[in-house]
Amino acid sequence: MDQQKFLELLQSIQIPDTDRVKAATTELRKTYYPHPESLLWLLHILTSHDNPELQQSAGVEALRLIPKHWAAQPEAQKPAIREKLLESTLNEEKSLVRHSSARVIAGIAKIDLEDGQWETLPGLLAQAATSNVVAHREVGVYILFTLLEAAGDEFDDKIPNLFALFANTIKDPESAEVRINTLMCLSRVAMLIQPEEDEENLARFVASFPGMVAVLKAAVDEGNEEHTMQAFEVFHSILGCDTALINTHFKDLLTFMADLAANTNVSGESRNQALSFLMQAVRYRKMKIQGTKDMGENLTLKCMQIATEITDDDDEDDEVNPHRSALGLLDLLASSLPPRQIIVPLLKALPGYINSDKPNFRQAGILSLGMCVEGAPDFIGTQLDSLIPEVLRLLNDPEVSVRHAALNGVARLADDLAEDLSKHHANLIISLLKNLDAATVQSSNEAEQKKNLNVLKAACGALDSVTDGLEQEIMTMYLSELVPKLGRLLSHKDLTVKASAAGALGSVAGSAKKAFLPYFEATMGALSEYVSVKDSTEELDLRATACDAIGSMAAAVGPEPFQPYVRDLMQASEEGLHLGHPRLRETSYILWSTLAKIYEKEFTPFLEGVVKALMDSLGQKESDFEIELGEEAKEVLGQEVIVAGKKIKIATASDGIEDLDAMEGSDDDDWDDLEAISAVAFEKEIALEVLGDVLSHTRSNFGPYFEKAIETVMGLVEHSYEGVRKTAIGTLWRAYACLWALMEDHTGQKWAPGLPLNFQPSGEVNKLGEVVTAATLSVWEDEVDRAVVTDINRNVAATLKLCGPAILAQPNFTERTTSILASILTKAHFCQQDIGEEEHEDLEEEESSEYDWLVIDTALDVVIGLSAALGEQFTDMWRVFQKPVMKYASSQTNYERSTAIGVIAECTANMGKGVTPYTQTLLKLLLHRLSDEDDETKSNAAYAIGLLVYHSTDSATYLPSYNQILTKLEPLLHTKRARNLDNASGCVCRMIMAHQDKVPVSDIMPVLVDLLPLQEDYEENKPIFECITGLYQQENATIIELTPKLIPVFASVLDEPSEQLDVETRDKVITIVKFIYGKNASLIQGSEVLMKCV
């Protein structure tokens, strides 16, 4: 080999000529790098050449070859090589060369130290780190960092010495470089400490922590961007270590970061980094934050303060800035911590913001409220009546920027509180239309016109969200005004305004249903021209929104009116898959889902193409790829980083040489690929959901594609993106329910509670059950994402209620389901823990965030599902769940108590006399809850106690409490709250049916009849009318006397809506009507409904 030629080839790589670079790289890799001498030559260039770029390149290549060729170097030469490397690195002035050389030393030392060689290196580095020469200290500590990074385990027995060294270097009086390098070293040492086994080193780390924070503070104060970023990376990495390392200083660290985030005197980038750290802390240490006194409140108030920095031109500014990051943190806090810690302080501070004379404070107030709704909708829903007047005032604010913020806030409120907000529809829609009209006016001032456009889009967005939640009757009142105004905007010259108007029209149609028919053809005519536009990204955005809106209109008007548009739309949606626009692909899939729901089996002609496209989407590759970065990124060469939720390996410039042809073009292309990773995963999530919809609604016609679909979905159950995992498992459960329903239709057999099964399911159902349970258990037990566990809970609960106990006959499924539910109900499941934490005993009595409660709430629904599937046999399983359920029934939080009492009621109804062994325990709890301060809990307790006395055979236990129960029920029978009335009435009737002799029927029935018919909880009509018909059969004097009052009640429940009575109860009521007719026909003859029955 020719050493001079080798040098020339290496120099060629530095020349900006793609062909020469490619040719040189190919020859180096083919001719030189396979030979051990090449490493020696590279090290010589690194330590001796006078060209820094060449030295740095030689260092990168040498680092790659060390594992392959270092062992083959002559042993006699190695000491000289090591000495020369260390000497040249300590004296190198160029930082890039110095850092590259340090990594080469670490690469060699990793091999040597494992082989018992170069044992003097750590001592030599310690000497350099304490040298009188600043440059030597800087390099010595940096090499130590690279060595800790590459071969940390070799320092296990040297940690105390490292702490002694770093205690001095972290306070180096002359060099910020020494201090930041020490900080990075300590982050690697943190990873070596096992706190439970090494208390002394834990104490040393805890003692060093304030000094570590001081390095970050100094970097920020000095405005050193590079050091600041390095320091933040250290604290991010420590968040992922054992919590014992930061517990002592956790509160101070968060307070420091929050103060830094709010400090307008430091750079925006440093503030963003502080907010990013706080977000990570909330994600991975939320239980620790929840247990830190006042921390949730302090962070909330800081976020609101930072949000006031909003500027008028902000909405067009896409860059990350502190006030946007603060609102993002607020959103995360609301979904991660209990409302008491976030929403209560926010609402307390809110008047000071929305009543401020400063527009930016008013904006910050409404935006902060809007950001919290998604995380705590139930709690904010209880406060909505008092908030609405303030929201309306802000919608009519004199400042355009405030109105714009208020419109965005209303849209967020409506997204999560549709039902609560619909009560205020009159004032809201008037205000929204007023903003729409004001923003439609053209302005000659460009800045004003820009603001108007933003308000116009925000008004459409608010109308989109608000109308989406309205009842048909209410929506119809506004159609004549809303549709023309929004329709006119479809011809606006701005494409984004058109898209906003189209979205709002879709929601209007969706809520108006058939009432939209008079406007349907004209609206479709206006929208149809946008279904084929494709000349720009903006046009494709508009096309996607139009596609969504048309789907909503199709669902509104129904199959017949929409039929003429189906084929053209299906063709346009198929074309949309090939236009390189992720959202358009997703809206195409969603349109197919909508049409499958509308047309069901009539959708079959499109199935082949639809299933193929969905399978193609689900089969897209998401392979790891490498990104080529320039000189500035050499510090992370060869490392994996997380970008857009994906592990990416950072490659050197020369790593990527072989693919140079593919890398030509815009520098941004590589980063577009990063976005594509998450876009592909998100698309798969949508495609899976749509596949489930299509399968469920085309039923038996999906048969030819069923097996392939299940096979494809199974391959995605353990996908790295939680959205795909969630929908994959959900689609499998939907497929099982669909196959079960088809089997029932075919055989005419219906399941009965309990095991063994009353009939044997088909082989296909059993096989799919095996697949579904195996897939579910592979994720359910150890899943760390709350949403995935919540969705699995929902699917299992729904299937148990729909398909009965057959799924429980699958091997180990019942046992493992019971175990998983027990862990969730005791808050011990992985998705309920901080990262690396086993449990939080000190927080056992604390309330949950609403998102966290959803995991428990849906697990309780699975418990109900088990009771429905097992019936009386559930009595043994209830022993596992009774204690945690009763604990929630005694919670300090209203919705936890009411939910738990509701679970007791449902399980009692399902297990029937199986509840008997638990009569005494449950009776005591339910009696107490009959006097609960919360209406919902009280109502559920009335429901539950009625079921308990009706089903339990332990009358000796509950009969002595009959009078007490009746006394506690009496106030509920005089309330104006419908559900309380309904459940109390049902309870009384069950008590009468259980022990008529213990209830004063003559006193209570007149009161009860005056409350009929029920207005809300039709389920309670069953016990009420069973009781009444039973009394008629006995020819009870009281009920006979009440007949004139009951005639209109019977007429009401036998009329629409038909769901007031189940078939069995309806038949019993009709029998009594006929009985009355036989006794006194004149009582019936005045009612058209009743006469139809006789």
Side-chain angles (χ1 to χ4, degrees):
M1 291 194 305
D2 184 340
Q3 189 170 357
Q4 183 58 36
K5 172 74 170 170
F6 177 80
L7 179 62
E8 288 169 5
L9 287 169
L10 203 62
Q11 286 170 327
S12 297
I13 293 177
Q14 311 303 313
I15 299 166
D17 181 326
T18 301
D19 291 335
R20 286 185 66 181
V21 169
K22 193 172 182 181
T25 302
T26 302
E27 189 169 349
L28 283 168
R29 290 183 176 178
K30 186 177 176 182
T31 308
Y32 291 90
Y33 290 164
H35 302 284
E37 298 97 310
S38 62
L39 175 60
L40 207 56
W41 294 350
L42 287 167
L43 293 175
H44 180 69
I45 294 167
L46 174 63
T47 56
S48 308
H49 207 279
D50 57 2
N51 182 324
E53 285 75 22
L54 194 63
Q55 286 177 287
Q56 198 267 338
S57 183
V60 170
E61 297 299 328
L63 188 60
R64 188 200 312 274
L65 296 179
I66 286 166
K68 189 176 178 182
H69 293 322
W70 176 248
Q73 302 303 319
E75 288 298 325
Q77 292 184 25
K78 284 184 178 178
I81 295 171
R82 295 179 187 122
E83 187 178 340
K84 179 67 176 169
L85 253 178
L86 190 56
E87 181 191 344
S88 70
T89 307
L90 287 170
N91 294 307
E92 178 56 57
E93 293 180 3
K94 297 281 185 183
S95 65
L96 273 176
V97 178
R98 203 163 59 224
H99 287 178
S100 187
S101 193
R103 292 196 180 280
V104 169
I105 292 172
I108 292 172
K110 178 174 170 52
I111 297 170
D112 281 355
L113 292 172
E114 287 173 1
D115 294 340
Q117 298 184 30
W118 209 1
E119 292 178 330
T120 57
L121 179 63
L124 292 170
L125 295 176
Q127 285 177 23
T130 53
S131 163
N132 290 327
V133 181
V134 171
H136 287 188
R137 295 203 300 274
E138 291 174 351
V139 180
V141 178
Y142 187 79
I143 298 173
L144 258 177
F145 165 65
T146 60
L147 196 51
L148 281 163
E149 196 175 41
D153 292 345
E154 299 297 326
F155 287 86
D156 276 343
D157 58 344
K158 302 180 181 70
I159 294 177
N161 296 337
L162 289 173
F163 274 119
L165 172 65
F166 297 149
N168 292 317
T169 57
I170 202 161
K171 296 182 289 191
D172 191 291
E174 296 178 274
S175 171
E177 187 82 21
V178 174
R179 297 194 294 271
I180 197 72
N181 290 346
T182 304
L183 180 64
M184 294 194 296
C185 285
L186 284 165
S187 74
R188 306 309 299 187
V189 172
M191 297 175 189
L192 301 176
I193 299 172
Q194 303 293 327
E196 291 180 8
E197 302 162 16
D198 194 354
E199 291 185 5
E200 290 183 1
N201 281 327
L202 171 62
R204 291 184 180 105
F205 184 86
V206 170
S208 71
F209 202 82
M212 295 171 69
V213 176
V215 174
L216 169 59
K217 184 177 185 305
V220 171
D221 290 345
E222 291 160 11
N224 188 318
E225 195 172 317
E226 183 186 357
H227 285 178
T228 300
M229 290 298 292
Q230 289 172 315
F232 273 115
E233 283 170 21
V234 165
F235 287 100
H236 273 288
S237 73
I238 291 171
L239 263 185
C241 296
D242 193 298
T243 52
L245 294 167
I246 55 173
N247 278 348
T248 304
H249 299 291
F250 187 71
K251 183 175 183 178
D252 291 341
L253 178 62
L254 292 191
T255 303
F256 168 78
M257 292 290 185
D259 290 342
L260 179 56
N263 186 349
T264 54
N265 295 319
V266 302
S267 76
E269 184 52 39
S270 293
R271 299 175 67 201
N272 285 333
Q273 286 294 327
L275 287 160
S276 173
F277 175 86
L278 291 169
M279 286 184 188
Q280 292 295 89
V282 174
R283 283 193 185 97
Y284 300 119
R285 295 282 174 247
K286 67 174 182 180
M287 302 305 290
K288 185 72 185 163
I289 293 176
Q290 187 173 330
T292 303
K293 186 174 170 55
D294 298 333
M295 185 50 68
E297 178 174 350
N298 293 341
L299 291 175
T300 300
L301 298 178
K302 275 284 192 287
C303 288
M304 293 181 77
Q305 176 190 330
I306 298 167
T308 62
E309 296 170 33
I310 190 168
T311 56
D312 277 357
D313 58 350
D314 177 69
D315 27 27
E316 292 304 315
D317 184 4
D318 285 331
E319 70 178 35
V320 176
N321 55 43
H323 71 260
R324 284 190 177 186
S325 298
L327 289 170
L329 175 56
L330 202 50
D331 183 13
L332 191 59
L333 285 165
S335 64
S336 303
L337 297 177
R340 179 177 51 80
Q341 295 191 4
I342 307 301
I343 312 303
V344 170
L346 182 139
L347 293 177
K348 189 176 175 184
L350 193 61
Y353 283 80
I354 58 179
N355 296 320
S356 169
D357 56 357
K358 298 174 181 173
N360 56 320
F361 273 70
R362 301 199 295 277
Q363 284 175 272
I366 187 64
L367 289 173
S368 297
L369 176 64
M371 291 307 287
C372 289
V373 182
E374 188 182 3
D378 291 344
F379 187 89
I380 292 179
T382 64
Q383 310 299 309
L384 201 58
D385 288 347
S386 60
L387 290 169
I388 284 295
E390 305 298 341
V391 171
L392 290 169
R393 185 164 56 78
L394 294 173
L395 282 172
N396 293 288
D397 196 276
E399 290 287 336
V400 175
S401 56
V402 178
R403 294 201 303 277
H404 182 224
L407 289 164
N408 288 330
V410 166
R412 282 183 163 272
L413 284 167
D415 284 340
D416 292 286
L417 293 171
E419 192 178 327
D420 303 270
L421 213 59
S422 67
K423 293 184 293 186
H424 306 279
H425 62 87
N427 291 327
L428 260 179
I429 289 182
I430 288 170
S431 294
L432 297 182
L433 285 171
K434 189 175 171 186
N435 275 282
L436 192 77
D437 292 340
T440 311
V441 177
Q442 290 292 315
S443 171
S444 55
N445 182 307
E446 190 178 335
E448 287 300 316
Q449 185 58 24
K450 185 179 171 184
K451 285 183 185 178
N452 281 346
L453 267 184
N454 289 333
V455 170
L456 199 54
K457 289 183 282 188
C460 287
L463 283 167
D464 188 342
S465 298
V466 170
T467 57
D468 194 33
L470 292 180
E471 295 290 330
Q472 181 182 11
E473 188 182 337
I474 297 170
M475 188 68 257
T476 307
M477 295 161 48
Y478 299 104
L479 287 177
S480 60
E481 186 172 7
L482 269 176
V483 178
K485 286 187 175 182
L486 291 170
R488 281 194 289 275
L489 292 178
L490 292 177
S491 55
H492 196 282
K493 63 182 179 182
D494 187 286
L495 294 182
T496 57
V497 172
K498 290 181 182 182
S500 302
L505 278 167
S507 292
V508 168
S511 294
K513 299 185 174 66
K514 300 283 184 189
F516 190 74
L517 271 169
Y519 309 93
F520 173 61
E521 284 194 22
T523 309
M524 280 298 293
L527 282 175
S528 292
E529 65 177 286
Y530 304 127
V531 173
S532 54
V533 294
K534 55 185 175 186
D535 290 342
S536 65
T537 303
E538 291 75 16
E539 283 196 354
L540 291 171
D541 287 339
L542 171 58
R543 177 171 173 163
T545 307
C547 188
D548 258 348
I550 288 170
S552 298
M553 290 172 195
V557 300
E560 284 186 32
F562 197 76
Q563 188 65 51
Y565 303 95
V566 173
R567 192 159 294 280
D568 288 346
L569 264 177
M570 288 299 293
Q571 287 173 354
S573 66
E574 200 280 331
E575 182 198 38
L577 302 181
H578 310 292
L579 297 175
H581 191 275
R583 183 164 167 251
L584 186 55
R585 289 171 65 87
E586 289 151 16
T587 53
S588 293
Y589 300 148
I590 292 166
L591 177 68
W592 299 346
S593 163
T594 303
L595 295 178
K597 290 173 185 173
I598 295 167
Y599 290 101
E600 296 188 319
K601 292 189 176 183
E602 292 173 34
F603 190 70
T604 304
F606 302 107
L607 268 183
E608 186 178 349
V610 163
V611 174
K612 182 186 181 304
L614 293 173
M615 293 296 111
D616 288 347
S617 172
L618 297 176
Q620 290 177 92
K621 286 200 174 359
E622 296 174 76
S623 56
D624 290 335
F625 61 90
E626 298 190 345
I627 298 170
E628 182 183 349
L629 298 176
E631 296 295 308
E632 299 79 13
K634 289 295 189 286
E635 294 303 318
V636 290
L637 293 181
Q639 296 184 27
E640 285 186 335
V641 296
I642 305 294
V643 185
K646 184 79 173 175
K647 271 190 180 177
I648 307 300
K649 186 180 178 189
I650 303 298
T652 65
S654 51
D655 279 342
I657 294 298
E658 291 168 341
D659 302 314
L660 272 176
D661 291 341
M663 302 291 276
E664 287 178 9
S666 167
D667 292 340
D668 293 334
D669 289 349
D670 308 328
W671 297 103
D672 290 342
D673 285 344
L674 287 181
E675 293 175 16
I677 303 166
S678 54
V680 169
F682 185 66
E683 182 187 318
K684 287 185 179 181
E685 181 184 6
I686 304 284
L688 280 164
E689 190 74 39
V690 170
L691 182 65
D693 289 337
V694 172
L695 181 156
S696 301
H697 289 89
T698 55
R699 291 168 61 86
S700 58
N701 291 15
F702 194 86
Y705 316 101
F706 195 88
E707 191 173 337
K708 176 65 177 170
I710 297 300
E711 185 184 317
T712 303
V713 174
M714 275 297 294
L716 295 165
V717 162
E718 297 188 37
H719 194 276
S720 59
Y721 169 50
E722 62 274 9
V724 173
R725 291 198 299 280
K726 180 182 76 172
T727 43
I729 293 172
T731 300
L732 289 174
W733 281 98
R734 293 175 75 181
Y736 179 84
C738 180
L739 202 59
W740 180 274
L742 288 171
M743 180 198 67
E744 282 194 338
D745 292 348
H746 180 69
T747 63
Q749 291 178 292
K750 299 292 180 186
W751 64 270
L755 294 169
L757 302 175
N758 62 323
F759 69 92
Q760 195 55 38
S762 67
E764 293 92 337
V765 167
N766 276 335
K767 181 61 184 169
L768 183 57
E770 188 181 328
V771 168
V772 171
T773 53
T776 301
L777 292 173
S778 72
V779 174
W780 199 9
E781 211 157 29
D782 303 324
E783 176 60 57
V784 295
D785 186 81
R786 292 177 296 183
V788 176
V789 176
T790 298
D791 207 62
I792 292 175
N793 294 346
R794 285 191 180 117
N795 280 296
V796 175
T799 306
L800 286 166
K801 293 171 188 177
L802 190 68
C803 308
I807 201 77
L808 298 175
Q810 292 294 337
N812 301 320
F813 187 65
T814 304
E815 296 81 355
R816 289 180 67 184
T817 295
T818 307
S819 168
I820 291 164
L821 294 175
S823 74
I824 294 172
L825 297 182
T826 54
K827 299 186 180 180
H829 191 278
F830 283 102
C831 75
Q832 296 165 300
Q833 305 297 310
D834 279 352
I835 184 170
E837 289 289 300
E838 292 301 318
E839 54 190 32
H840 296 272
E841 291 178 8
D842 54 325
L843 292 179
E844 207 166 336
E845 301 303 322
E846 287 283 338
E847 63 183 309
S848 307
S849 74
E850 289 185 20
Y851 265 70
D852 286 330
W853 174 249
L854 267 182
V855 180
I856 296 164
D857 188 23
T858 52
L860 289 168
D861 209 27
V862 183
V863 173
I864 294 171
L866 286 167
S867 72
L870 292 172
E872 200 174 315
Q873 292 173 6
F874 182 71
T875 186
D876 292 330
M877 198 178 280
W878 176 248
R879 283 192 181 89
V880 177
F881 304 123
Q882 179 173 271
K883 186 179 176 184
V885 172
M886 289 187 68
K887 186 175 177 183
Y888 289 118
S890 302
S891 162
Q892 296 299 304
T893 308
N894 291 351
Y895 59 75
E896 292 188 8
R897 290 198 308 281
S898 64
T899 302
I901 298 296
V903 171
I904 291 169
E906 296 291 346
C907 290
T908 300
N910 290 328
M911 66 177 142
K913 65 181 181 182
V915 78
T916 301
Y918 310 105
T919 304
Q920 186 170 358
T921 311
L922 294 178
L923 181 67
K924 182 181 176 185
L925 171 72
L926 296 173
L927 274 170
H928 183 54
R929 290 298 155 213
L930 267 179
S931 305
D932 199 278
E933 62 186 30
D934 174 56
D935 276 339
E936 192 69 18
T937 304
K938 216 162 16 188
S939 175
N940 286 350
Y943 177 49
I945 211 161
L947 288 162
L948 181 66
V949 300
Y950 184 72
H951 289 293
S952 172
T953 59
D954 186 7
S955 55
T957 296
Y958 66 69
L959 277 177
S961 301
Y962 244 50
N963 285 337
Q964 188 184 358
I965 297 170
L966 289 168
T967 302
K968 291 195 172 210
L969 287 173
E970 189 177 358
L972 294 182
L973 294 170
H974 294 97
T975 181
K976 290 185 179 177
R977 190 171 181 270
R979 266 200 97 238
N980 287 4
L981 290 172
D982 299 352
N983 282 344
S985 302
C987 180
V988 169
C989 288
R990 287 189 177 96
M991 291 173 73
I992 293 170
M993 288 188 285
H995 295 277
Q996 189 175 328
D997 57 320
K998 302 294 182 184
V999 179
V1001 174
S1002 58
D1003 294 334
I1004 211 159
M1005 284 311 292
V1007 176
L1008 206 69
V1009 170
D1010 283 342
L1011 300 174
L1012 300 177
L1014 300 187
Q1015 298 301 313
E1016 189 173 313
D1017 198 345
Y1018 294 150
E1019 194 180 326
E1020 289 304 273
N1021 274 331
K1022 184 176 178 68
I1024 290 169
F1025 287 99
E1026 279 186 3
C1027 175
I1028 289 171
T1029 55
L1031 291 171
Y1032 268 110
Q1033 284 162 1
Q1034 299 168 20
E1035 300 198 16
N1036 176 277
T1038 302
I1039 209 75
I1040 299 293
E1041 267 181 51
L1042 290 168
T1043 299
K1045 285 189 171 184
L1046 280 165
I1047 294 300
V1049 173
F1050 292 148
S1052 177
V1053 297
L1054 290 170
D1055 200 359
E1056 295 297 329
S1058 59
E1059 61 264 23
Q1060 290 181 89
L1061 298 175
D1062 62 28
V1063 175
E1064 187 184 351
T1065 311
R1066 174 178 289 271
D1067 289 344
K1068 287 181 179 178
V1069 173
I1070 289 172
T1071 302
I1072 295 306
V1073 169
K1074 289 176 178 176
F1075 167 78
I1076 296 169
Y1077 184 76
K1079 294 282 187 182
N1080 186 352
S1082 63
L1083 286 171
I1084 304 297
Q1085 286 166 341
S1087 167
E1088 186 180 338
V1089 172
L1090 297 183
M1091 284 305 293
K1092 286 178 184 174
C1093 300
V1094 299

